[in-house]
Amino acid sequence: MLRLLGAFAVAILAMQPGLAAAVEIPPELQNSRIGFIYEPPRSPKYQALYERLMNRKVLEELKAFLSPLRLPRKLVLNLRECGEANAYYSRSNGLVLCYEYIDYMESLAPKDTTPEGFTRAEGIAGAFIEVTLHELGHGVFDNLDVPIFGREEDAADEFAGFLMLQFSPDLAMLTIKGAAWSYLSQEQDWKGNSFADEHGTERQRFYNYLCLGYGAMPALFQSVVDKGLLPPGRAGHCAREYQQAKNAFVQTILPFVDQDMMKIVQGVRWLRPEEMK
Amino acid sequence: MKYLAGAAILATVLIWPAAQEAMAQSPIPQNPKVKVDYLEPREPSPNDVKAMGIYKQHQAIYERMTKRGVLEELSRFLSPLQLPVALRIKTLECNTINAFYDPQEWTLKLCYEYFASLENNAPQTVDENGFTREQAVVGGFLAVTLHELGHAVSDVFNLPVMGREEDSADQIAAFVSLQFGPEVARTAISGAAHSWLSLHNRRGDVYPFWDSHSTDMQRVYNFLCIGYGGKPELFKDLVEKRWLPKARINTCSHEYERLRLAFRQTLLPHIDQDLMKRVQAEKWLRPEDGKW
């Protein structure tokens, strides 16, 4: 029976293209200001997801990824069942990623590569990384008192997008396209005073991410322009937009980043090969 | 001793009003780093009736602006700003309804076409939303000029703009509008709301989401939210009864505070505080402004 269960677990892990076993984290990547909690879900529905994320050591990895940040206040990373599909940052709770929201995003991921070229891995791993980095953006702005010009929601997207582009080309592609897919697949109907929302529309956020990617690595993201996902009227501004995000990052956040640890972070392959495909 | 102190107080009281008057009389200087220029509209061939009509309107605007000394006033308004480079502000014909900041030339280019459009879309007296002609014309001018100045200061001070620059320029315009008393605040914020509302009404429900600008209505809401966040009493009527849904109203004071924090960290060190107090005490708008 135990053996059967074990085999079953292996089969499930193998079936999940998204989050399987953990990657190796260098021991230097420590930060006592960052904590994490996997809260067991009340609903049996999220039990498998909870276990998968825990086995994958998602929060350990996220903590290591953030370890170069010199944070004046403690930051806790939480996975929990919230009663709604959501993800947020608050000063009292820290980062909160809800099982409901991760489950929802995974349900939106394409089964096969879409005609526009969005892959299942982008829809699962990329979209998860986007929401995590976006909410962490809010957390970092708050923790470091970062001066923000422009809307904070867009700034959090640019924070996320900028980070996505500091690693390997395949990770850049997976995460930027994953972010774009996430907003495309969650698009709402905007009318009347729904435009008063503090967030941009999903389409605007879709274009913002693709534009940052194209601005940073034009050759790599040329396909999104060729496929008409990013119109030429916007594409021409993207190099400047990326430079502006970089300039803001360098001025406001980089002074709080430990450079030696950052080099180690940049050397880690954060996703397993099968999670990229 | 008591007598002496009394005499000193008396002397102070006597001198004080005179000193105050002298201060009030010494005019706020123009910013030596802000160079202003009005380019004359070009006269078309007399046979071109349509172009002649446009020219006449531009010429009238040009004459009113030079007579009022609008750009010189703007330079005085900007006197506390310690610019690292000379900033030029020009009014000119552009053949398009727009206003620009040109980073190559460190120049604000404000087009007569844009001002003509503000006038053409302004109500005769007051519109159904309660926006007045003065707010539409003068406030519209302030909004677009401060928006382009927002681009200029981001450029010359190399501001860390983490969000979208177009929204940042709107935020800078809105924030600046709120620092000079209720009249300037109400005029400029209402002018901004009127400008983009009227643009939205002309464009209809077409949303270029790919654009680096927010949609016209998003800009209306953003201006009103910052106005309300900074001066809730002054914008209560517009915001609570009319424009913003509750969910957004709740975030406005946070949005304003974020902006204030960003200003304090980046731009405040470049502002001469003594001059700023004088600029804040000055009455910038005249009753006749916009009533043409």
Side-chain angles (χ1 to χ4, degrees):
Chain A
M1 185 60 195
L2 257 174
R3 239 182 72 172
L4 237 169
L5 263 178
F8 185 62
V10 171
I12 288 189
L13 281 178
M15 268 160 57
Q16 295 288 347
L19 309 156
V23 300
E24 200 142 323
I25 294 167
E28 298 94 325
L29 298 182
Q30 299 295 329
N31 188 330
S32 60
R33 293 282 166 90
I34 303 173
F36 63 86
I37 302 166
Y38 296 90
E39 210 176 280
R42 294 175 299 275
S43 319
K45 190 184 170 194
Y46 302 116
Q47 188 65 28
L49 177 62
Y50 158 70
E51 284 171 16
R52 179 152 56 86
L53 292 165
M54 206 159 48
N55 289 333
R56 175 61 181 78
K57 297 198 188 311
V58 167
L59 295 183
E60 288 87 337
E61 201 174 302
L62 191 56
K63 175 182 163 154
F65 177 79
L66 295 171
S67 64
L69 269 176
R70 294 194 199 99
L71 298 169
R73 289 191 286 269
K74 201 166 163 65
L75 175 67
V76 181
L77 315 171
N78 299 277
L79 271 165
R80 70 167 73 138
E81 186 175 345
C82 305
E84 58 173 343
N86 200 3
Y88 60 92
Y89 165 80
S90 72
R91 193 176 280 193
S92 48
N93 285 281
L95 173 76
V96 178
L97 301 171
C98 311
Y99 298 122
E100 293 93 328
Y101 190 61
I102 300 169
D103 183 62
Y104 172 62
M105 285 192 304
E106 293 193 356
S107 75
L108 296 175
K111 297 279 171 287
D112 303 301
T113 301
T114 69
E116 304 95 345
F118 291 105
T119 68
R120 181 159 178 81
E122 287 162 5
I124 291 184
F128 174 81
I129 291 168
E130 190 278 332
V131 70
T132 304
L133 293 182
H134 169 95
E135 297 306 336
L136 274 170
H138 288 299
V140 169
F141 299 160
D142 180 46
N143 213 302
L144 301 178
D145 280 337
V146 174
I148 300 294
F149 284 103
R151 305 219 286 173
E152 186 177 342
E153 291 301 333
D154 293 320
D157 281 355
E158 293 197 20
F159 170 90
F162 179 78
L163 285 183
M164 291 170 182
L165 296 162
Q166 307 314 309
F167 298 87
S168 63
D170 51 352
L171 195 60
M173 196 64 157
L174 177 96
T175 49
I176 291 286
K177 278 182 69 198
W181 167 263
S182 182
Y183 290 108
L184 192 65
S185 62
Q186 295 183 53
E187 188 166 20
Q188 308 282 316
D189 187 20
W190 289 74
K191 57 188 169 207
N193 73 4
S194 62
F195 284 102
D197 200 283
E198 60 178 324
H199 298 82
T201 70
E202 292 81 17
R203 277 287 169 167
Q204 287 173 322
R205 300 176 75 179
F206 166 89
Y207 292 120
N208 289 344
Y209 271 108
L210 291 181
C211 188
L212 268 189
Y214 180 66
M217 304 181 179
L220 185 69
F221 286 95
Q222 184 60 43
S223 62
V224 303
V225 179
D226 294 343
K227 285 186 176 136
L229 295 176
L230 186 63
R234 178 66 180 274
H237 299 283
C238 296
R240 185 165 176 272
E241 287 186 33
Y242 176 74
Q243 280 309 318
Q244 192 156 47
K246 183 178 172 180
N247 175 38
F249 195 91
V250 166
Q251 284 190 53
T252 63
I253 295 171
L254 209 59
F256 299 96
V257 174
D258 182 306
Q259 292 305 313
D260 295 333
M261 284 169 83
M262 191 62 208
K263 281 192 195 83
I264 300 172
V265 165
Q266 284 183 307
V268 174
R269 287 202 55 92
W270 290 99
L271 292 184
R272 296 165 60 89
E274 66 270 23
E275 290 168 333
M276 313 283 290
K277 293 200 192 80
Chain B
M1 186 63 199
K2 235 180 162 178
Y3 177 82
L4 244 169
I9 288 171
L10 186 65
T12 310
V13 168
L14 284 173
I15 292 163
W16 178 244
Q20 267 213 327
E21 205 168 300
M23 256 182 77
Q25 276 170 356
S26 86
I28 293 166
Q30 287 190 33
N31 188 324
K33 290 257 178 145
V34 175
K35 320 271 186 200
V36 304
D37 195 9
Y38 308 84
L39 272 60
E40 279 184 66
R42 194 180 293 264
E43 192 169 351
S45 138
N47 304 326
D48 191 339
V49 179
K50 193 179 165 211
M52 190 51 94
I54 293 169
Y55 164 74
K56 281 188 177 152
Q57 191 180 12
H58 291 177
Q59 184 64 23
I61 293 170
Y62 162 77
E63 281 168 14
R64 269 199 305 273
M65 290 185 93
T66 47
K67 192 169 158 221
R68 172 73 167 85
V70 173
L71 297 185
E72 290 83 354
E73 285 279 274
L74 193 57
S75 174
R76 292 174 60 232
F77 180 75
L78 294 174
S79 60
L81 189 63
Q82 294 164 331
L83 291 159
V85 296
L87 179 71
R88 286 159 208 282
I89 305 181
K90 291 179 183 169
T91 60
L92 72 169
E93 282 188 311
C94 310
N95 290 319
T96 173
I97 301 172
N98 217 334
F100 310 89
Y101 168 66
D102 181 342
Q104 261 74 49
E105 300 178 11
W106 292 316
T107 301
L108 254 62
K109 297 181 176 173
L110 309 172
C111 312
Y112 295 122
E113 288 86 348
Y114 192 89
F115 302 140
S117 165
L118 286 178
E119 289 182 11
N120 299 343
N121 292 294
Q124 279 312 311
T125 50
V126 58
D127 72 8
E128 70 279 12
N129 296 308
F131 295 127
T132 66
R133 182 166 184 85
E134 185 186 9
Q135 287 170 343
V137 175
V138 180
F141 167 82
L142 287 173
V144 74
T145 304
L146 294 176
H147 170 94
E148 298 307 334
L149 266 169
H151 285 300
V153 296
S154 312
D155 178 35
V156 302
F157 293 113
N158 191 29
L159 291 191
V161 180
M162 188 78 88
R164 309 215 295 172
E165 185 176 342
E166 291 299 336
D167 294 325
S168 167
D170 280 353
Q171 289 176 331
I172 292 171
F175 184 84
V176 170
S177 301
L178 298 177
Q179 312 308 317
F180 304 91
E183 199 190 2
V184 169
R186 181 80 186 197
T187 304
I189 298 285
S190 303
H194 181 273
S195 291
W196 280 288
L197 186 64
S198 113
L199 200 56
H200 167 77
N201 290 336
R202 277 174 279 150
R203 281 205 252 239
D205 292 333
V206 183
Y207 305 119
F209 289 143
W210 56 267
D211 196 87
S212 52
H213 295 80
S214 288
T215 68
D216 301 322
M217 286 311 294
Q218 284 173 322
R219 299 180 71 179
V220 172
Y221 297 126
N222 291 344
F223 267 100
L224 289 173
C225 187
I226 292 165
Y228 181 76
K231 294 187 184 292
E233 283 307 315
L234 190 61
F235 293 100
K236 206 173 168 171
D237 59 329
L238 277 177
V239 165
E240 290 182 10
K241 295 205 184 78
R242 221 180 160 99
W243 290 103
L244 289 187
K246 198 145 182 32
R248 181 68 183 275
I249 285 176
N250 292 337
T251 71
C252 296
S253 78
H254 172 78
E255 288 182 44
Y256 180 81
E257 276 310 307
R258 264 238 163 276
L259 199 50
R260 207 169 63 87
L261 179 73
F263 253 80
R264 217 174 48 205
Q265 291 184 63
T266 58
L267 284 171
L268 206 60
H270 304 289
I271 288 171
D272 179 316
Q273 290 307 316
D274 293 332
L275 269 172
M276 185 62 179
K277 284 194 190 82
R278 290 175 63 193
V279 169
Q280 284 177 313
E282 178 108 345
K283 191 167 162 55
W284 291 98
L285 301 180
R286 294 183 194 161
E288 67 272 22
D289 282 342
K291 296 218 174 80
W292 47 70

